[in-house]
Amino acid sequence: MPERDYDSMCGAAHAGEHAEVLDNLLAFLKNTETPVAQRERDELRAVMGFYRLPVEMYDFINDWENIVSSLNVIDDEPDRDEPEPPGPSGPSVIVHENPDFARTLRTQVGLHVDLPTRLYEPFVDHFSAAVGVGVEVNLARTNPDQYLRKGKVHKPTKEEANFVPVLIQVISSCSIWGGGILLRGFEQWWTKNRSDAESLIRQIPTILAAEQYGDDNFHIALADMSSSTVEQVLAVLAESEVLDAFPEPIPPVPVFKYPPM
């Protein structure tokens, strides 16, 4: 689906205009040969069964039975894209430049580097709907080098400084299906608390490899980054190793590098 149409449907869904979303989806399915799994067709049919026809101004909803019956249904469509094939001693990550956002969401795990502003809401909304956990964190507020409270300047405690790694670990360990975590304000954290930020970056391949082995759907997005910080983060990732031992080879973790805005 074109990104513009996807963004439009996300906006309509966020506004509660569910009929608008379904009408656009049916129009897309009618006008394309997009493969649809039997399970997906049955779920769409069940949803459309709740509508009492005709629905004013929604021609595709009114014709949903004909559209659904003519879908390009396939027997076995995987829920996700196949992961990158592992090599005997390959890299822990593999970088994909200028990624298609909708396609990245079909991968089981992934790290998004310099996620564009326009994709913040779709990213969080997708994981909230798909796996139940979509989180946005403003690092400028949660990870300052110091803060003012009751007229006094404070340094973060050890527990406060570890908020982001602990949050990631909690979601990784306790969420049934996984999650999506958007870390905004990464530039400030990288420049003011470089050692903590770099430590997290080095851990990410191991975290996502474990999620991949456990068959969870887990993505982390870094946002608000300068071009130099992007390159430094990628350099750290290239040197990082997956520290956990797994019974079988784990494919490299996909890293999605977005173009500078």
Side-chain angles (χ1 to χ4, degrees):
M1 176 177 291
E3 189 170 307
R4 183 178 62 182
D5 294 342
Y6 176 82
D7 291 344
S8 175
M9 290 174 65
C10 286
H14 187 71
E17 298 173 354
H18 300 132
E20 181 75 16
V21 174
L22 287 170
D23 198 64
N24 286 331
L25 176 61
L26 289 165
F28 172 77
L29 293 173
K30 180 178 180 179
N31 295 320
T32 65
E33 292 296 320
T34 302
V36 176
Q38 292 183 12
R39 171 181 54 80
E40 293 171 327
R41 179 200 58 191
D42 294 343
E43 289 174 354
L44 178 58
R45 178 179 286 136
V47 170
M48 298 311 304
F50 286 104
Y51 279 84
R52 180 173 297 177
L53 305 181
V55 179
E56 187 176 356
M57 298 177 61
Y58 291 114
D59 294 339
F60 296 99
I61 288 180
N62 292 329
D63 192 37
W64 75 263
E65 290 183 289
N66 289 328
I67 295 173
V68 170
S69 65
S70 61
L71 290 175
N72 178 22
V73 178
I74 59 176
D75 291 333
D76 297 304
E77 177 168 3
D79 289 333
R80 311 184 186 102
D81 287 346
E82 290 297 321
E84 299 287 342
S89 59
S92 59
V93 301
I94 183 167
V95 178
H96 301 272
E97 301 211 22
N98 302 327
D100 176 78
F101 177 67
R103 186 172 178 81
T104 68
L105 298 180
R106 290 182 58 83
T107 62
Q108 184 181 348
V109 301
L111 173 64
H112 303 250
V113 177
D114 202 18
L115 187 74
T117 305
R118 61 186 173 79
L119 297 180
Y120 291 176
E121 187 173 317
F123 179 89
V124 174
D125 286 351
H126 170 80
F127 287 100
S128 295
V131 297
V133 181
V135 178
E136 178 178 326
V137 178
N138 185 346
L139 295 171
R141 297 288 295 169
T142 60
N143 284 61
D145 52 347
Q146 61 184 25
Y147 59 92
L148 187 66
R149 177 172 290 169
K150 295 184 178 180
K152 295 182 179 181
V153 176
H154 297 266
K155 287 276 190 181
T157 64
K158 182 178 180 180
E159 290 76 14
E160 290 169 340
N162 285 331
F163 171 77
V164 172
V166 170
L167 174 66
I168 292 174
Q169 187 59 49
V170 167
I171 295 175
S172 173
S173 302
C174 302
S175 175
I176 296 174
W177 306 113
I181 304 174
L182 167 60
L183 302 179
R184 295 182 53 185
F186 187 84
E187 180 73 21
Q188 178 171 325
W189 194 33
W190 184 259
T191 55
K192 292 190 174 182
N193 296 282
R194 176 67 175 267
S195 61
D196 290 345
E198 188 170 314
S199 176
L200 174 64
I201 295 301
R202 292 188 183 279
Q203 295 175 48
I204 284 177
T206 299
I207 293 170
L208 294 181
E211 295 297 318
Q212 190 164 240
Y213 180 74
D215 201 32
D216 286 341
N217 187 201
F218 201 91
H219 284 234
I220 298 172
L222 312 178
D224 305 319
M225 305 169 69
S226 67
S227 297
S228 62
T229 296
V230 168
E231 296 306 320
Q232 291 166 22
V233 166
L234 293 177
V236 172
L237 288 168
E239 298 172 355
S240 300
E241 297 180 356
V242 174
L243 301 179
D244 291 350
F246 300 100
E248 56 191 48
I250 298 296
V253 170
V255 175
F256 306 112
K257 178 189 175 186
Y258 293 84
M261 300 301 291

